Amino acid sequence: QVQLVESGGGLVQPGGSLRLSCLASGFTFSRATMRWYRQAPGKERELVAAIGSIASITTYTDSVKGRFTISRDNAKNTVYLQMNGLKPEDTAVYYCNAIYSDAYWGQGTQVTVSS
C-alpha cells in the first residue's frame, strides 16, 4: 500500500531552520511529482513547494521563496523540505503529497515557530 511518513517537525525560534523528510513507499517514487503542503489552525491547506519527476524541476509559493528548498533522493524514496529563516507565520502542520497514478497524503508533521 502507498505510504507517506513525514518527520522532522518541531519547535524553533524565529530565524531558525528545520529539515522535513517524507519517506515514501508502495509506488514508483522516481516517477512521481512530490509536494509539500501546510495547514495552520483555522486556515485552508496551502501548497508550499513541489518537485517534479523530470529533471527535478521545483516550484514554490511566493511566501517561502528564497527561504525553503525542496529536494528529493530517489535512491532513498525520500523528499525533503529545508526551511531556513523561519517566521511565526510558518507555523503549521506540514503534509507530504505524492502524485503518481493517484494523489496520496501523509499524516503531517507539526512545525511551530515561536520565541
Side-chain angles (χ1 to χ4, degrees), residues 44-115:
E44 296 183 354
R45 188 167 296 188
E46 172 191 27
L47 175 63
V48 177
I51 184 166
S53 60
I54 301 175
S56 296
I57 303 300
T58 59
T59 59
Y60 302 90
T61 191
D62 287 343
S63 64
V64 308
K65 287 181 178 177
R67 299 189 297 121
F68 291 11
T69 303
I70 187 171
S71 62
R72 66 193 299 160
D73 186 338
N74 289 339
K76 296 181 178 180
N77 282 7
T78 301
V79 62
Y80 305 95
L81 185 67
Q82 178 67 47
M83 305 184 294
N84 299 325
L86 284 162
K87 304 174 180 179
E89 51 263 44
D90 295 318
T91 296
V93 177
Y94 284 71
Y95 297 92
C96 182
N97 166 255
I99 298 179
Y100 186 50
S101 58
D102 295 299
Y104 305 98
W105 291 90
Q107 293 298 305
T109 184
Q110 175 69 48
V111 171
T112 303
V113 185
S114 176
S115 61

Side-chain angles (χ1 to χ4, degrees), residues 22-30 34 73-79:
C22 173
L23 177 62
S25 60
F27 64 100
T28 306
F29 177 82
S30 63
M34 302 298 297
D73 186 338
N74 289 339
K76 296 181 178 180
N77 282 7
T78 301
V79 62

